[in-house]
């Protein structure tokens, strides 16, 4: 009995192993470009490099965690995929798109705006930089990405979804950009290795949802922004209760201070100063109760240079620059019609400076930022496409509507002196103590079909981006003639490029032949003596043979062809309607040179005295056969 049972178990194990191997066999064949659902996105697979590539435009559709929804479901975890490339043009990665895809190398596009729920869950994604322009990370997007040790979030990100980085057990640090407004529940739950969380903007009003940093035993200290709001057990708690040694750095009377006191979390009160970093937007907010508040920002340059510290927004504020207790500079309004301030000053490396910002009796909020003054260059990520008819036409050219709104999602990658660089969206107006604007009015370089370029200026520094204009054609029907087929002619309304289509063959027949000198009364002729300038008449039209004796014309009609030489009688041939007429050689006894109706010595005399050079030496040698 035991022996039979062992044999049965062995059979079951072998069968199970065989089935498992069959079901999870690696993908060994290439997969050609295949549409994803009904979207404008496509996937393809290259077996030699184990690369899955997503291309197209717009959003990758939402998927589910099953084989009927996720095309690579059966081979996502067996080593078939080592690299994933999502090409530019993709704007969203849908739900469950790369769920359990065991790749460690992911390339993401500059055009990406959103990442869906469970998009990268249980992948082997490692250190990565999310692209500038990304605005939201969905719930559980990076759930259980245990190989992820570091991820850089862009300054365009506004929301981090619930459980977004749940169980990212190797994640050691995270910087929260100034742009983030919401961090969802359990966003960093059970990130056991997380030791550092830095908020770029310590004036931020970011909403920290309940349990945002729950079960983070290595996260023993965080400095929280002055206007952050708190849900339940945001920090310093886990499944086993309070985290031993956890400490909060808070501003006096802030929500973080209230949270620390209410939850008995150890805390330190921060000086009422906010650190400035290059390119990080901070906020000075004023209401009826805080109109007299003075915001103090500290900045220590990493390199000596001239810097601009300025404000944007509707709130009327002014600023003062101090080195210690010494007032170095102050500014209220940029101009009479712009109530924002800009302080421009030479600042020295390693020296701490303080900027004090106060309201000019105006409620609201001002956005504050500091940049080096000197811009070396900038690149523009973006392009525009028009149809030829989109231009506002004049009598000679067309002007296309390149406007501030049409390029508002273009990214400027700006290089400053000192090696610092930053990315910003194009926004017409004031930037770093100068104007950003579209510089080229097209009056100097008008657009035509194909690739053109448009210019953006930041002060005196310029960059270009491509503008594509597509042909648009007007169509004209050209009827056939005796000599040409009919067709439809398409002419571009802008650049006048043309092409033809819808050809209609001409029904005309071809009439052709060759006139040669007859050498004997039996109709024989000489190959060496063609008759040029012979008159060929047909239905009132006159043609002539060329220097080699050929004649050719086309006609829709039937009729008689009359071939006349000045030195012989007329030859009459017949053309039938609808039939080509290739007459071949038409031999003519063209020896009556004086036109008296006879071929005799008088003709010989005229040949020798008048026509020898014209007709050639051999011409008259056969005339004796007709005398």
């Amino acid at each position: 009995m035991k022996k039979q049972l062992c044999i049965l178990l062995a059979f079951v194990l072998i069968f199970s192993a065989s089935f498992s191997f069959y079901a999870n066999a690696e993908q060994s064949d290439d997969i050609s470009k295949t549409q994803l659902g009904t979207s404008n996105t496509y996937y393809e697979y290259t077996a030699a490099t184990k690369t899955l590539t997503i291309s197209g435009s717009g959003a990758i559709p939402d998927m589910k965690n099953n084989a009927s929804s996720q095309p690579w479901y059966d081979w996502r975890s067996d080593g078939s995929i080592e690299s994933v490339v999502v090409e530019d043009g993709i704007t969203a990665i849908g739900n469950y798109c790369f769920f359990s895809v065991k790749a460690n190398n992911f390339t993401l596009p500059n055009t990406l705006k959103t990442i869906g729920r469970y998009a990268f869950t249980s992948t082997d994604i490692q250190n990565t930089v999310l692209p500038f322009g990304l605005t939201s990370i969905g719930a559980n997007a990076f759930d259980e990405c245990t190989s992820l040790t570091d991820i850089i979030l862009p300054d365009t990100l506004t929301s981090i979804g619930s459980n977004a980085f749940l169980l990212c057990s190797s994640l050691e640090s995270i910087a929260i950009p100034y742009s983030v407004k919401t961090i969802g529940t359990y966003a960093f739950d059970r990130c056991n290795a997380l030791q550092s969380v830095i908020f770029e903007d310590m004036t931020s009003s970011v909403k920290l949802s309940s349990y945002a940093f729950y079960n983070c035993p290595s996260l023993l200290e965080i400095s929280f922004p002055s206007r952050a709001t708190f849900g339940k057990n945001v920090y310093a708690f886990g499944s086993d209760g309070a985290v031993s040694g956890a400490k909060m750095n808070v501003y006096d009377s802030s929500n973080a201070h209230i949270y620390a006191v209410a939850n008995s979390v150890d805390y330190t009160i921060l000086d009422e100063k906010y650190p400035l970093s290059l390119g990080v937007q901070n906020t000075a907010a004023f209401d009826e109760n805080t109109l007299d508040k003075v915001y103090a920002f500290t900045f220590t340059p990493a390199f000596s240079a001239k810097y601009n510290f300025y404000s944007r927004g509707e709130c009327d504020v002014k600023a003062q620059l101090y080195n210690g207790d010494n007032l170095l500079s102050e500014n209220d309004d940029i101009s009479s019609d712009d109530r924002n301030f800009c302080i421009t000053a030479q600042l020295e490396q390693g020296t701490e400076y303080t900027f004090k910002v106060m309201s000019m009796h105006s409620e609201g909020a001002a956005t504050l930022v500091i940049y080096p003054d000197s811009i070396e260059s900038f690149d523009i990520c973006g392009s525009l496409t028009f149809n030829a008819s989109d231009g506002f036409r004049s009598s000679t050219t067309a002007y296309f509507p390149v406007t501030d709104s049409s390029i508002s999602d273009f990214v400027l990658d700006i290089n400053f002196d000192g090696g610092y660089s930053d990315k910003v969206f194009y926004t017409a107006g004031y930037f770093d103590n100068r104007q950003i604007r579209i510089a080229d009015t097209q009056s100097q370089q008008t657009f035509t079909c194909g690739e053109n370029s448009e210019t953006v200026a930041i002060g005196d520094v310029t960059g270009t981006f491509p503008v594509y204009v597509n042909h648009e054609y007007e169509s004209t029907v050209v009827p056939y003639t005796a000599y040409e087929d009919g067709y439809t002619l398409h002419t571009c309304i802008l650049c006048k490029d043309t092409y033809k289509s819808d050809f209609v063959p001409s029904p005309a027949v071809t009439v052709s032949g060759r006139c040669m000198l007859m050498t004997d009364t039996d109709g024989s002729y000489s190959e060496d003596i063609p008759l040029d300038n012979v008159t060929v008449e047909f239905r009132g039209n006159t043609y002539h043979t060329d220097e080699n004796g050929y004649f050719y014309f086309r006609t829709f009609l039937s009729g008689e062809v009359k071939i006349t030489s000045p030195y012989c009688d007329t030859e009459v041939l017949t053309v039938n309607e609808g039939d080509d007429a290739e007459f071949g050689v038409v031999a003519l006894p063209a020896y009556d040179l004086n036109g008296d109706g006879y071929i005799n010595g008088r003709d010989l005399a005229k040949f020798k005295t008048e026509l020898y050079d014209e007709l050639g030496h051999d011409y008259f040698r056969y005339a004796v056969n007709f005398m």
Side-chain angles (χ1 to χ4, degrees):
M1 181 67 182
K2 290 181 179 179
K3 182 176 181 180
Q4 291 176 339
L5 181 60
C6 289
I7 293 173
L8 178 60
L9 288 173
F11 175 77
V12 170
L13 289 172
I14 292 171
F15 178 79
S16 299
S18 299
F19 177 79
S20 176
F21 176 79
Y22 176 78
N24 296 291
E26 288 190 23
Q27 178 68 28
S28 58
D29 296 328
D30 288 350
I31 299 176
S32 60
K33 194 171 183 179
T34 304
Q35 187 176 17
L36 287 165
T38 59
S39 71
N40 292 321
T41 62
Y42 305 83
Y43 79 95
E44 56 189 299
Y45 176 73
T46 304
T49 58
K50 296 189 175 183
T51 300
L52 176 66
T53 302
I54 312 293
S55 60
S57 61
I60 301 173
D62 291 337
M63 300 177 187
K64 296 180 179 179
N65 186 26
N66 57 51
S68 62
S69 179
Q70 190 188 51
W72 37 87
Y73 178 89
D74 288 334
W75 40 279
R76 64 188 184 179
S77 303
D78 60 12
S80 295
I81 305 172
E82 293 182 355
S83 298
V84 174
V85 176
V86 185
E87 296 183 347
D88 280 348
I90 301 299
T91 57
I93 296 176
N95 300 340
Y96 288 92
C97 183
F98 300 118
F99 188 98
S100 285
V101 172
K102 294 301 182 182
N104 53 37
N105 184 15
F106 287 82
T107 301
L108 302 179
N110 293 320
T111 51
L112 187 63
K113 303 298 182 187
T114 61
I115 295 175
R117 295 183 295 110
Y118 296 94
F120 293 93
T121 297
S122 296
T123 63
D124 288 338
I125 190 169
Q126 297 179 347
N127 298 354
T128 190
V129 177
L130 298 182
F132 186 89
L134 180 71
T135 59
S136 66
I137 297 175
N140 298 85
F142 293 92
D143 183 354
E144 206 171 352
C145 291
T146 57
S147 298
L148 184 65
T149 59
D150 184 47
I151 186 167
I152 297 177
L153 308 178
D155 291 340
T156 53
L157 186 67
T158 59
S159 65
I160 299 173
S162 300
N163 306 302
F165 295 95
L166 173 69
L167 286 169
C168 288
S169 56
S170 299
L171 183 64
E172 297 176 352
S173 64
I174 192 77
I176 308 298
Y178 63 82
S179 55
V180 172
K181 305 303 179 188
T182 304
I183 298 178
T185 56
Y186 295 101
F188 294 92
D189 181 21
R190 284 175 278 179
C191 290
N192 295 332
L194 187 61
Q195 300 178 31
S196 172
V197 174
I198 296 174
F199 290 88
E200 287 185 351
D201 173 17
M202 291 301 288
T203 66
S204 170
S205 59
V206 58
K207 177 184 177 182
L208 302 173
S209 301
S210 297
Y211 308 100
F213 297 99
Y214 197 64
N215 282 313
C216 295
S218 301
L219 186 59
L220 298 181
E221 185 174 358
I222 305 183
S223 296
F224 286 97
S226 62
R227 296 188 299 138
T229 59
F230 284 71
K232 182 180 179 180
N233 291 346
V234 167
Y235 169 67
F237 291 94
S239 303
D240 297 328
V243 174
S244 177
K247 176 184 176 182
M248 297 172 62
N249 299 318
V250 301
Y251 290 98
D252 190 26
S253 300
S254 67
N255 289 316
H257 186 189
I258 295 170
Y259 174 90
V261 172
N263 291 279
S264 300
V265 180
D266 186 23
Y267 67 89
T268 298
I269 299 295
L270 295 167
D271 291 340
E272 199 68 20
K273 292 183 178 180
Y274 305 101
L276 281 178
S277 298
L278 291 177
V280 173
Q281 295 182 14
N282 293 261
T283 303
F286 302 92
D287 58 29
E288 60 181 1
N289 298 315
T290 60
L291 281 179
D292 295 331
K293 180 173 181 176
V294 176
Y295 285 84
F297 296 89
T298 60
F299 178 64
T300 303
F303 53 91
S304 298
K306 183 187 292 186
Y307 292 85
N308 296 310
F309 177 63
Y310 64 98
S311 68
R312 301 305 299 156
E314 298 302 321
C315 187
D316 186 7
V317 289
K318 80 170 187 177
Q320 298 172 329
L321 168 62
Y322 288 86
N323 182 358
D325 294 330
N326 297 322
L327 177 63
L328 302 181
S329 181
E330 62 182 330
N331 184 266
D332 181 4
D333 301 330
I334 294 174
S335 65
S336 60
D337 56 359
D338 191 336
R339 296 303 183 188
N340 291 284
F341 70 78
C342 179
I343 290 180
T344 300
Q346 176 71 31
L347 305 181
E348 300 305 318
Q349 176 182 351
T351 301
E352 182 178 274
Y353 298 88
T354 301
F355 293 93
K356 294 184 178 181
V357 178
M358 58 211 76
S359 170
M360 298 299 288
H361 310 291
S362 174
E363 294 183 27
T367 298
L368 314 172
V369 67
I370 189 168
Y371 280 115
D373 177 69
S374 182
I375 297 175
E376 287 186 343
S377 63
F378 65 93
D379 298 316
I380 305 174
C381 181
S383 65
L384 290 179
T385 300
F386 295 102
N387 293 322
S389 62
D390 293 335
F392 302 105
R393 304 189 64 80
S394 70
S395 58
T396 57
T397 189
Y399 298 93
F400 290 84
V402 181
T403 62
D404 292 330
S405 61
S406 68
I407 65 172
S408 60
D409 63 343
F410 285 20
V411 176
L412 309 185
D413 192 352
I414 305 173
N415 303 307
F416 298 84
D417 278 354
Y420 174 71
S421 63
D422 196 18
K423 296 179 186 291
V424 299
F425 283 115
Y426 173 86
T427 302
Y430 193 83
F431 176 82
D432 199 21
N433 201 26
R434 66 208 79 196
Q435 295 295 314
I436 297 181
R437 68 192 189 281
I438 299 172
D440 188 0
T441 63
Q442 302 181 50
S443 59
Q444 299 176 354
Q445 185 177 352
T446 56
F447 292 169
T448 188
C449 295
E451 183 174 344
N452 308 271
S453 64
E454 183 61 287
T455 302
V456 166
I458 306 178
D460 296 330
V461 183
T462 60
T464 61
F465 62 89
V467 180
Y468 301 96
V469 179
N470 296 325
H471 294 294
E472 282 192 272
Y473 294 90
E474 292 178 333
S475 301
T476 303
V477 176
V478 178
Y480 59 74
T481 66
Y483 288 92
E484 292 188 6
D485 292 339
Y487 54 89
T488 300
L489 178 66
H490 306 274
T491 304
C492 180
I493 62 175
L494 178 62
C495 70
K496 306 307 177 186
D497 176 72
T498 62
Y499 72 93
K500 299 175 182 178
S501 69
D502 302 325
F503 289 90
V504 178
S506 173
V509 299
T510 298
V511 180
S512 62
R514 188 183 190 192
C515 294
M516 306 293 291
L517 182 66
M518 188 183 295
T519 58
D520 208 333
T521 55
D522 62 2
S524 57
Y525 56 90
S526 171
E527 291 281 0
D528 299 327
I529 310 177
L531 299 177
D532 63 344
N533 207 32
V534 171
T535 299
V536 180
E537 295 180 287
F538 181 78
R539 300 185 68 93
N541 296 313
T542 300
Y543 312 93
H544 295 89
T545 58
D546 63 17
E547 62 182 3
N548 294 310
Y550 290 102
F551 64 89
Y552 166 89
F553 62 88
R554 289 173 63 85
T555 180
F556 299 109
L557 306 173
S558 61
E560 292 184 339
V561 179
K562 297 180 179 180
I563 300 175
T564 304
S565 168
Y567 309 132
C568 67
D569 294 335
T570 298
E571 179 81 16
V572 179
L573 306 172
T574 300
V575 175
N576 296 316
E577 185 174 354
D579 294 330
D580 288 336
E582 169 53 67
F583 293 116
V585 172
V586 180
L588 302 175
Y591 300 104
D592 185 10
L593 303 183
N594 64 0
D596 62 2
Y598 300 98
I599 300 173
N600 52 33
R602 297 187 184 90
D603 298 303
L604 177 59
K606 186 167 184 175
F607 170 72
K608 290 183 176 182
T609 59
E610 300 179 21
L611 300 173
Y612 184 88
D613 292 336
E614 178 183 341
L615 300 179
H617 171 76
D618 291 330
Y619 187 89
F620 207 73
R621 62 183 292 187
Y622 303 107
V624 64
N625 295 330
F626 299 90
M627 290 182 177

